[in-house]
Amino acid sequence: MINVTKTFLPDQEEYLQYVRGIWERGYLTNNGPLLQKLEGQLREYLKVDHLYFCGNGTIVLQIAIKALELKGEIITTPFSYVATSNAILWENCTPVFVDIDPATFNINPELIEAAITPATSAILATHVYGNPCDIEAIEAIAKKHNLKVIYDAAHAFGVTYKGKSLLSYGDLSTCSFHATKVFHTIEGGALISNHPELDRKLHLLRAFGHQGDEHYEFAGINGKNSEFHAAMGLVNLPQVPAIIHARKEVFAAYDSLLNWDILFKPTLSTDIEYNYAYYPVVFPSEAVMFKVMDALKVEEIIPRRYFYPSLNTLSFMPRQIACPVSEDIAARVLSLPLYVGLPFEDIERISRIINGHLSP
């Protein structure tokens, strides 16, 4: 079977060396030495000053909203994983969906101002597939209307924009280190802050809001991570350049083999170094997409409808806001298998099956 992704696993003995150290120390979690070491290496790798390693990519979104004390409405994208909008709902705010740009699939900044009301407190935008949003436009709007900006950069580890880590933009950025990501810690996530004054608050928010055993400042949450997860990160981090290079080769192979007279994929932003996190293709219709997906499944090739459905259509959203571009793209997009070690012959086979099933 060829799945849409395959977790990169490092040298087993290198990981076990860290595990043996954990056994010797008996220190498994709660801001342990490996976690602190990983945080330091991540700050250095990304060239950021304030980074906090947490339990997963969803809890960091919730902590970001809590840290900025957001209330009321948060403008966001309907074309993202459900964690983005769920985090808003869990923090008792209202997601206000703004449709996406048909070329990049990111939130369309030209539509944001029309969605701003006196209740709007922030913009939470996703760098879809690791492709940067229109950062300058979003941050100009935020400055004009005195709004906070959070970037859901779950897919963006290793991406640079204008020579800086994509994670360094916004008031806060969040990243996922889930096992399916370019860089992973099995489960994990990170908060990246541009506000030194939030440093202590973010530390407390991820650890129940208490300092030491007896002093409690406010209601935090358990956003911590373990030494075992940190160990996986420490072993994987040096491999990131090679991982990105290998993914780039798979990306280039699809680019050369698929029928672009019929298919299309999102346009990458300029001034970036990309991480090749996903390979989405959009089909002429949902019917053709299903036809291709069924043909691939016969060969035990499992793509993914990512992202589907458009989040504005979910029944539990408090407001039903039409986002026709997002709804259309979500109905027709498939993410194709992409991972380190995917053989060229399999990429050829996948491409051949797709190209052979594009007629209506």
Side-chain angles (χ1 to χ4, degrees):
M1 181 179 291
I2 301 173
N3 282 314
V4 67
T5 191
K6 182 179 180 181
T7 298
F8 175 85
L9 288 172
D11 179 75
Q12 190 177 73
E13 181 55 34
E14 192 176 352
Y15 180 68
L16 289 176
Q17 286 178 11
Y18 279 112
V19 171
R20 284 191 282 269
I22 296 170
W23 240 260
E24 291 168 5
R25 287 185 297 273
Y27 197 147
L28 274 63
T29 189
N30 203 15
N31 204 32
L34 295 185
L35 185 142
Q36 293 181 47
K37 182 178 180 180
L38 178 61
E39 282 188 333
Q41 290 190 9
L42 287 170
R43 291 184 190 111
E44 183 177 351
Y45 184 88
L46 298 169
K47 296 179 173 60
V48 297
D49 293 327
H50 306 282
L51 179 145
Y52 315 89
F53 180 47
C54 298
N56 56 64
T58 304
I59 198 69
V60 288
L61 284 167
Q62 293 177 239
I63 293 173
I65 293 168
K66 188 73 74 178
L68 295 174
E69 300 180 6
L70 302 182
K71 307 291 182 185
E73 299 172 354
I74 297 176
I75 289 172
T76 193
T77 174
F79 196 73
S80 185
Y81 186 57
V82 72
T84 309
S85 52
N86 281 359
I88 295 171
L89 292 171
W90 269 68
E91 295 307 317
N92 296 312
C93 295
T94 301
V96 176
F97 294 107
V98 167
D99 210 351
I100 61 174
D101 182 291
T104 67
F105 303 177
N106 286 321
I107 192 169
N108 189 338
E110 295 181 2
L111 304 178
I112 289 176
E113 284 197 277
I116 295 172
T117 74
T120 306
S121 60
I123 301 167
L124 199 172
T126 299
H127 299 302
V128 174
Y129 307 126
N131 189 21
C133 296
D134 189 337
I135 288 170
E136 288 80 8
I138 289 171
E139 298 196 356
I141 292 167
K143 184 176 180 181
K144 177 181 175 182
H145 295 276
N146 194 30
L147 303 176
K148 299 296 186 183
V149 176
I150 300 171
Y151 289 114
D152 181 345
H155 307 154
F157 191 90
V159 179
T160 64
Y161 175 66
K162 295 189 173 180
K164 294 169 53 180
S165 169
L166 187 54
L167 303 176
S168 65
Y169 293 88
D171 292 290
L172 291 170
S173 281
T174 68
C175 194
S176 171
F177 299 155
H178 184 261
T180 57
K181 299 299 189 285
V182 171
F183 165 75
H184 80 86
T185 59
I186 308 171
E187 285 279 3
L191 271 162
I192 298 88
S193 169
N194 280 316
H195 294 286
E197 68 276 10
L198 286 179
D199 185 69
R200 187 169 185 275
K201 186 176 185 180
L202 290 167
H203 275 293
L204 289 171
L205 277 170
R206 75 169 176 182
F208 301 104
H210 72 78
Q211 187 73 37
D213 291 332
E214 298 180 4
H215 180 62
Y216 293 79
E217 289 203 17
F218 48 71
I221 198 165
N222 186 0
K224 299 174 295 176
N225 212 323
S226 82
E227 292 290 271
F228 294 95
H229 295 83
M232 182 61 75
L234 288 166
V235 179
N236 280 338
L237 186 59
Q239 302 300 320
V240 168
I243 290 168
I244 291 176
H245 178 75
R247 298 177 75 92
K248 183 178 181 180
E249 290 186 338
V250 176
F251 205 94
Y254 279 130
D255 278 353
S256 69
L257 293 168
L258 290 170
N259 184 350
W260 299 110
D261 291 331
I262 298 176
L263 302 167
F264 77 93
K265 59 188 176 74
T267 303
L268 291 178
S269 301
T270 57
D271 293 321
I272 70 166
E273 290 184 18
Y274 191 46
N275 67 356
Y276 306 94
Y278 296 89
Y279 200 92
V281 292
V282 181
F283 294 85
S285 68
E286 188 175 32
V288 171
M289 183 275 299
F290 278 126
K291 183 179 177 183
V292 168
M293 190 162 65
D294 289 343
L296 290 169
K297 285 182 178 179
V298 168
E299 298 291 323
E300 295 191 312
I301 298 165
I302 312 300
R304 183 179 178 188
R305 300 186 76 184
Y306 197 67
F307 299 104
Y308 178 84
S310 186
L311 298 178
N312 62 299
T313 66
L314 295 176
S315 62
F316 55 83
M317 291 301 160
R319 296 184 188 174
Q320 299 300 311
I321 300 170
C323 295
V325 178
S326 177
E327 292 166 36
D328 176 54
I329 296 296
R332 297 188 287 136
V333 71
L334 280 183
S335 283
L336 302 185
L338 171 58
Y339 50 83
V340 174
L342 181 63
F344 183 75
E345 313 85 75
D346 286 335
I347 303 168
E348 283 186 309
R349 183 159 61 101
I350 293 165
S351 300
R352 185 169 59 252
I353 293 168
I354 292 171
N355 291 339
H357 291 81
L358 292 178
S359 58

